[in-house]
Amino acid sequence: MTETTGHTVTDPALWPAPRAADPVDATVTVPGSKSVTNRALVLAALSTEPGWVRRPLRSRDTLLMAGALRAMGVQIEETVPSSTGPADGARHPGEVWRVIPAGLHGPTTVDVGNAGTVMRFVPPVAALADGPVRFDGDPRSYERPLGGVIDALRTLGARIDDEKRGALPMTVHGSGSLDGGAVEIDASSSSQFVSALLLSGARFNQGVEVRHTGGRLPSLPHIRMTIEMVRAAGGQVDAPEDGGEPDVWRVTSGALLGRDLVVEPDLSNAQPFLAAALVTGGRVTIPDWPAHTTQPGDALREIFTAMGGRCELDERGLTLTGGGRVHGIDIDLGEVGELTPGIAAVAALADSESVLRGVAHLRLHETDRLAALTKEINGLGGDVTETADGLRVRPRPLHGGVFHTYDDHRLATAGAVLGLAVDGVRVENVATTAKTLPDFPEMWLGMLGARA
C-alpha cells in the first residue's frame, strides 16, 4: 500500500538507499558465516555425540536449516545469554546452539524456502531417516537445479519421488540407512551437489566416492570448506588437492564426532561494507577477519585492492581504505561467483570498463543474477551487457530510480552500494537481505552515521 502526499508517492516497499555525503569511516561487525553455520548444523546432526555451534548466523537460511533438522528429530537448543546485551548485528557474542543428534525419522515435511544449502544438503540426511520426508519451498526453489542430487542419491540406493521433475517438491523415502558407494555427478551448475554428498557420506554404509563429470566446477572454495569441516568432525576425505584424481572425492564410512565450533564472520556479507569504503574513498574495518579461511569472500582483499583500495589485516581485523578512484577490472569469478553482484555495482562506478567472467552458473541462483544486474544497472543509466559467461560493465553517469531485487539478497546490497554515489536510488524489498544478513538497513545506516 502506498501513501500519497501532494505529488510525492512513498512506497514502504521501496527503501531509499542513502547517499554518502562524505567518505565513510566505520567499524562494522559482520554476522557469522551462513555457509559455515549450515554445514556445522548438518555435521552435528549426523554425529555420535552432541556438538556446539557458537556465534552462528541467525537468518532465514540458517533457521530453515535448523527447522529441517528438527523436523527429523534432531534437538537444537538455542542459548542467548541476557548478559551479552543487545545483538551486534545478527551476531550475538554469547549465542550458542547445542545440537543433540537423535534417530532421524519421518514422516515429516521440510520447508527449504529458497535456501540452496537446505534444498541440497538435507536430502542426503533424509535418506538416512526412517520414514518419508517431503521437501517443499518457495516458488523459485522449484526452478533451481536439484537433479544432480536426486540422481546421485538414487544411484547410491535412495528412493525418491519427484514425479520425474528433477526438482522440488519431492519426497525422500528414508529407510534408516543408505548403501552409498561410487557415483558420477554433473555439478557444473552448483558445487553444492558435491558438498551435499560429502557432508553425509561418512554415514553411508560404504561411504561415498563422488566423481564430477560435467564442465567447469564453480565455487571450489565451498567444496574445500566442506572437506575441511568434515575432517575436523573426524571424517576421512581424499580430495584432488591431496594428490588424488582430478574431480574425484572420497569419504570413508565411519563415525562423526561432535565439535565445539566458533563460526567465522561471513566474509561475503562483508562485501557491501568494504565496497562502501572503496566507493566513497573512506575506511571500513571488519573485526575478526580470519588470517586463514576457506571462505570465498576472502578474495575480496585481492579484488578490491586491484580496483583501487588498500587492505590491511591486523589484530583489529581487515581494514579497507579507498583510494579516491575506483578502477575497472577484468577477472574470472568462477570460484567466487557470489561476489559478482557487489563487484558489478562497484564496477558501474569505476573509471574504466570491467569484464566479469566465469559466472554463467549465476543464472540459476536465487534469481538469474546476470539478467537482473544487467536490467537494474541499465535502468539507472548504466551500460551493462551479458556475455556467455558473465558481464561487461562500461561505466556511465547514473541517475536515480527503482532497483528491483527479485527476492535476492545480493541484488539488494548491490543496490545499496550504488545508492552511496547516486542520488535517488530506491531499493525494492530490502528486507530480502534477512536471508543471510539480518538488520542490514540498520547496519548500513549505522556505518554511515549522521552522514546518512
Side-chain angles (χ1 to χ4, degrees), residues 223-245:
I223 295 179
R224 298 187 190 111
M225 176 188 295
T226 299
I227 292 168
E228 183 176 284
M229 294 185 68
V230 171
R231 286 173 173 165
Q236 181 178 328
V237 185
D238 296 321
E241 54 264 36
D242 304 318
E245 295 180 64

Side-chain angles (χ1 to χ4, degrees), residues 43-381:
L43 290 168
L46 295 173
S47 296
T48 58
E49 57 193 4
W52 290 262
V53 182
R54 302 182 188 274
R55 295 183 177 178
L57 172 67
R58 177 181 290 275
S59 72
R60 187 186 185 211
D61 277 17
T62 59
L63 293 176
L64 285 167
M65 179 63 82
L69 298 172
R70 285 186 175 119
M72 292 184 286
V74 177
Q75 296 181 52
I76 302 176
E77 301 172 349
E78 304 173 21
T79 303
V80 184
S82 58
S83 60
T84 62
D88 188 6
R91 192 178 187 211
H92 301 264
E95 182 161 4
V96 180
W97 291 359
R98 183 170 184 245
V99 184
I100 304 172
L104 301 168
H105 63 79
T108 190
T109 297
V110 166
D111 176 14
V112 309
N114 192 19
T117 51
V118 181
M119 71 180 69
R120 291 160 186 155
F121 292 176
V122 179
V125 179
L128 298 167
D130 185 7
V133 179
R134 177 174 171 78
F135 289 81
D136 209 337
D138 297 351
R140 173 62 180 173
S141 71
Y142 297 0
E143 303 171 10
R144 299 187 66 181
L146 190 60
V149 173
I150 294 171
D151 293 343
L153 287 174
R154 284 179 174 143
T155 299
L156 298 173
R159 184 163 70 92
I160 300 176
D161 177 15
D162 66 338
E163 297 182 358
K164 300 182 179 180
R165 283 186 299 266
L168 294 177
M170 69 177 185
T171 299
V172 178
H173 296 274
S175 60
S177 66
L178 192 68
D179 291 340
V183 63
E184 294 186 347
I185 187 171
D186 180 354
S188 56
S189 60
S190 175
S191 68
Q192 290 177 353
F193 292 0
V194 174
S195 288
L197 299 173
L198 300 185
L199 286 168
S200 294
R203 286 287 308 273
F204 301 164
N205 296 337
Q206 302 171 39
V208 70
E209 176 186 287
V210 182
R211 184 181 298 270
H212 168 59
T213 58
R216 178 181 178 178
L217 187 61
S219 304
L220 278 171
H222 278 126
I223 295 179
R224 298 187 190 111
M225 176 188 295
T226 299
I227 292 168
E228 183 176 284
M229 294 185 68
V230 171
R231 286 173 173 165
Q236 181 178 328
V237 185
D238 296 321
E241 54 264 36
D242 304 318
E245 295 180 64
D247 292 338
V248 178
W249 298 263
R250 296 181 180 88
V251 180
T252 303
S253 179
L256 296 174
L257 307 176
R259 294 188 62 199
D260 192 333
L261 174 70
V262 179
V263 178
E264 298 173 352
D266 193 312
L267 308 188
S268 295
N269 276 341
Q271 182 184 39
F273 304 101
L274 296 176
L278 185 60
V279 167
T280 68
R283 177 176 59 192
V284 168
T285 297
I286 308 293
D288 301 323
W289 193 284
H292 304 284
T293 181
T294 53
Q295 289 194 61
D298 194 44
L300 287 168
R301 291 192 287 164
E302 180 180 350
I303 294 170
F304 280 167
T305 296
M307 298 186 80
R310 185 177 75 255
C311 288
E312 181 180 3
L313 183 61
D314 56 24
E315 68 279 356
R316 296 172 301 164
L318 179 71
T319 299
L320 188 145
T321 304
R325 294 176 66 87
V326 179
H327 307 314
I329 191 170
D330 186 329
I331 188 170
D332 188 321
L333 297 173
E335 292 201 353
V336 293
E338 65 193 48
L339 304 179
T340 302
I343 294 171
V346 173
L349 303 171
D351 58 10
S352 59
E353 179 178 293
S354 294
V355 179
L356 312 182
R357 296 176 282 107
V359 288
H361 61 286
L362 294 187
R363 294 186 170 99
L364 302 171
H365 276 223
E366 281 82 346
T367 187
D368 179 341
R369 284 178 169 167
L370 300 185
L373 287 165
T374 300
K375 181 177 180 182
E376 298 310 313
I377 295 175
N378 288 352
L380 301 181

